[in-house]
């Protein structure tokens, strides 16, 4: 795929996904997935990048032990990044090869006919901060045959990227910084502790719905700290977000399914005690207060499927971006049980609209058309 914005910016790329699954016996199975992605970006006189990503994941499921469902596995991701900078900005070093591997395990224990407890741990090793651990615990109670109550506590991390460690801007930034900006050589992984509780139900065969609430505590988020003759990226921001997520699905008739979802979000940011960032603690966050989605899927005769999707996204505060409503559609034809031809249109009723970034330099998402042919081996 290839796209351009105006006459100065050009991006292109492609990807390949392979997935294989097999049951070893009645109590175990294995799944392997490999993903290859290539992207190219060129902004003449400013920046150019070539990024190749290889990702491989292996997962094994084992249920031979009474009351236990065990899933374990691992993965490897390798990224080769080649960049060309300018007098304004660059990555130092210009080229890099980053490797990330992970091991994970999860055990779902049945505590009775209606209650399950899940314990999991994922260990990720990266080139910047070493090994990061991500535990989680989940509890589910089947209140009745038609309803479920669940709760979870999870730890997640965002490992540093090349932007956090190697990025350099050689010109003065706008106020309040007024100096060049550099990646932080000691930038650490950002951390999240998430608390969730929810309820889902299916009152009858045609209708199902879910409501959940969440509180997310963030630590070591990105800040911009004075360093020498400029500023360096560091981990001086903390945050708490909370909100509600809900969705519902209705099978109108055997061939027509409609679903809807709503998310409400509130955010609060502050600086850690040691931070000297002269800006605002929430400068790096710019999220809508609400998002709404409505989807329709209709199966027609002769193996033809028609999908419609409507998205309504609220305005962003900093930098200010107006809210928007977008409509997408897809027409698919199953030529055979393993082959499908599809045509999809995005942003059908709007020539283009902004979704992020400051005016007047921000990119805008244009109306687009995609034709795809998929084949399952």
């Amino acid at each position: 795929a290839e796209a351009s914005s105006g006459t100065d910016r050009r991006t292109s790329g492609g990807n390949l996904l392979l997935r294989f699954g097999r049951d070893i016996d009645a109590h175990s199975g294995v799944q392997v997935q490999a993903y290859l992605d290539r992207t190219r970006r060129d902004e003449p006189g400013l920046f150019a990048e070539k990024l190749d990503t290889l990702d491989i994941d292996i997962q094994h499921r084992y249920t031979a032990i009474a009351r236990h469902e065990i899933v374990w596995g691992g993965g490897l991701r390798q990224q080769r990044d080649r960049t060309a900078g300018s007098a304004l900005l660059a990555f130092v070093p210009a080229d890099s090869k980053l490797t990330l591997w992970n091991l994970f395990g999860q055990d779902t224990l049945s505590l009775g006919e209606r209650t399950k407890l899940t314990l999991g741990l994922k260990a990720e090793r990266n080139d910047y901060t070493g090994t990061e651990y991500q535990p989680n615990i989940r509890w589910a109670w089947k209140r009745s045959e038609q309803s479920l109550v669940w709760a979870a506590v999870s730890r997640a991390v965002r490992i540093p990227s090349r932007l956090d460690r190697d990025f350099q801007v050689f010109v003065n930034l706008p106020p309040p910084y007024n100096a060049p900006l550099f990646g932080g050589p000691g930038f650490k992984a950002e951390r999240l502790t998430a608390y969730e509780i929810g309820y889902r139900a299916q009152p009858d065969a045609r209708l199902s719905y879910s409501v959940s609430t969440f509180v997310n505590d963030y630590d070591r988020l990105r800040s911009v700290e004075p360093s020498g003759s400029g500023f360096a990226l560091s981990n001086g921001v903390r945050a708490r977000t909370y909100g509600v997520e809900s969705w519902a699905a209705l099978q109108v008739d055997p061939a027509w399914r409609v679903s809807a979802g709503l998310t409400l979000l509130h955010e609060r940011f502050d600086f850690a005690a040691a931070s000297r960032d002269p800006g605002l603690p929430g400068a790096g966050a710019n999220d809508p207060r609400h998002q709404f989605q409505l989807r329709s899927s209709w199966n027609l005769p002769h193996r033809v499927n028609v999908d419609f999707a409507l998205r309504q996204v609220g305005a962003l505060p900093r930098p200010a971006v107006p809210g928007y409503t977008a409509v997408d559609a897809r027409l698919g034809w199953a030529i055979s049980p393993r082959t499908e031809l599809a045509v999809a249109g995005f942003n059908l009723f709007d020539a283009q609209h902004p979704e992020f970034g400051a005016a007047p330099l921000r990119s805008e998402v244009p109306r687009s058309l995609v034709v795809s042919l998929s084949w399952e081996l």
Side-chain angles (χ1 to χ4, degrees):
E2 184 170 309
S4 63
S5 176
T7 58
D8 298 327
R9 179 182 304 167
R10 184 167 295 275
T11 61
S12 63
N15 58 74
L16 175 66
L17 175 66
L18 299 175
R19 184 182 294 119
F20 170 79
R22 181 178 181 181
D23 290 333
I24 300 174
D25 54 38
H27 302 289
S28 65
V30 65
Q31 179 175 298
V32 181
Q33 177 176 292
Y35 179 78
L36 180 64
D37 182 84
R38 167 168 288 187
T39 62
R40 301 290 184 264
R41 178 178 177 180
D42 186 16
E43 299 187 38
L46 184 64
F47 177 72
E49 179 187 36
K50 298 178 180 179
L51 176 62
D52 294 320
T53 302
L54 172 65
D55 188 284
I56 300 174
D57 290 296
I58 301 175
Q59 178 177 297
H60 179 245
R61 171 184 53 84
Y62 187 72
T63 60
I65 304 175
R67 300 195 303 161
H68 292 266
E69 299 177 21
I70 298 174
V71 177
W72 68 281
L76 171 69
R77 170 173 291 190
Q78 195 166 80
Q79 291 184 319
R80 186 179 296 274
D81 191 25
R82 296 176 291 276
T83 68
S86 65
L88 299 177
L89 58 87
F91 284 95
V92 181
D95 302 338
S96 76
K97 180 180 178 182
L98 301 179
T99 301
L100 170 69
W101 64 259
N102 71 81
L103 295 173
F104 66 88
Q106 175 180 288
D107 183 9
T108 300
L109 174 63
S110 296
L111 301 179
E113 293 185 359
R114 295 182 177 272
T115 306
K116 289 187 176 183
L117 180 67
T118 301
L119 302 174
L121 176 64
K122 183 177 184 179
E124 287 187 325
R125 178 79 180 182
N126 68 87
D127 293 337
Y128 286 132
T129 64
T131 304
E132 303 286 349
Y133 297 97
Q134 301 176 70
N136 70 85
I137 179 171
R138 305 182 70 87
W139 168 83
W141 172 45
K142 195 173 182 180
R143 180 172 171 268
S144 68
E145 292 301 320
Q146 292 78 34
S147 61
L148 177 75
V149 180
W150 61 273
V153 180
S154 311
R155 162 64 63 87
V157 301
R158 186 189 73 84
I159 66 171
S161 66
R162 292 203 70 200
L163 179 67
D164 301 308
R165 287 293 189 101
D166 303 332
F167 190 59
Q168 298 191 10
V169 178
F170 302 114
V171 296
N172 285 0
L173 298 173
Y177 301 104
N178 297 313
L181 173 67
F182 305 96
F187 193 93
K188 303 174 183 178
E190 298 178 336
R191 300 183 301 193
L192 159 67
T193 303
Y195 308 90
E196 304 167 89
I197 186 169
Y199 175 79
R200 71 174 63 120
Q202 186 174 5
D204 58 52
R206 298 172 53 197
L207 174 66
S208 60
Y209 64 89
S210 172
V211 179
S212 62
T213 184
F214 61 87
V215 177
N216 294 330
D217 286 330
Y218 296 87
D219 186 29
R220 304 196 308 204
L221 298 182
R222 182 189 293 157
S223 63
V224 182
E225 307 290 342
S227 178
S229 59
F231 289 87
L233 297 178
S234 188
N235 302 91
V237 174
R238 302 171 300 190
R240 168 168 287 186
T241 66
Y242 55 90
V244 176
E245 295 180 342
S246 60
W247 61 261
L250 175 64
Q251 193 74 41
V252 182
D253 60 42
W256 185 21
R257 181 179 176 85
V258 178
S259 61
L262 174 66
T263 300
L264 304 176
L265 174 68
H266 182 79
E267 300 175 314
R268 186 180 68 208
F269 293 82
D270 59 29
F271 287 120
S275 175
R276 295 184 294 147
D277 189 324
L280 298 173
N286 200 27
D287 303 299
R289 287 287 187 95
H290 74 272
Q291 299 184 66
F292 173 75
Q293 296 187 25
L294 178 65
R295 297 180 178 274
S296 171
S297 181
W298 191 15
N299 295 321
L300 300 177
H302 308 294
R303 302 188 301 274
V304 174
N305 179 264
V306 179
D307 297 317
F308 289 96
L310 179 146
R311 293 174 290 124
Q312 206 290 317
V313 180
L316 305 184
R318 294 185 305 270
V321 179
Y324 66 90
T325 300
V327 176
D328 307 328
R330 179 182 183 274
L331 176 64
W333 173 39
I335 302 173
S336 72
R338 296 176 178 269
T339 308
E340 184 187 48
L341 177 65
V343 179
F346 302 92
N347 198 30
L348 294 178
F349 299 144
D350 190 3
Q352 60 186 30
H353 67 261
E355 294 189 4
F356 60 89
L361 300 178
R362 64 189 176 203
S363 300
E364 297 199 2
V365 179
R367 183 185 296 119
S368 61
L369 181 68
V370 176
V371 179
S372 65
L373 177 65
S374 59
W375 178 38
E376 182 179 348
L377 298 175

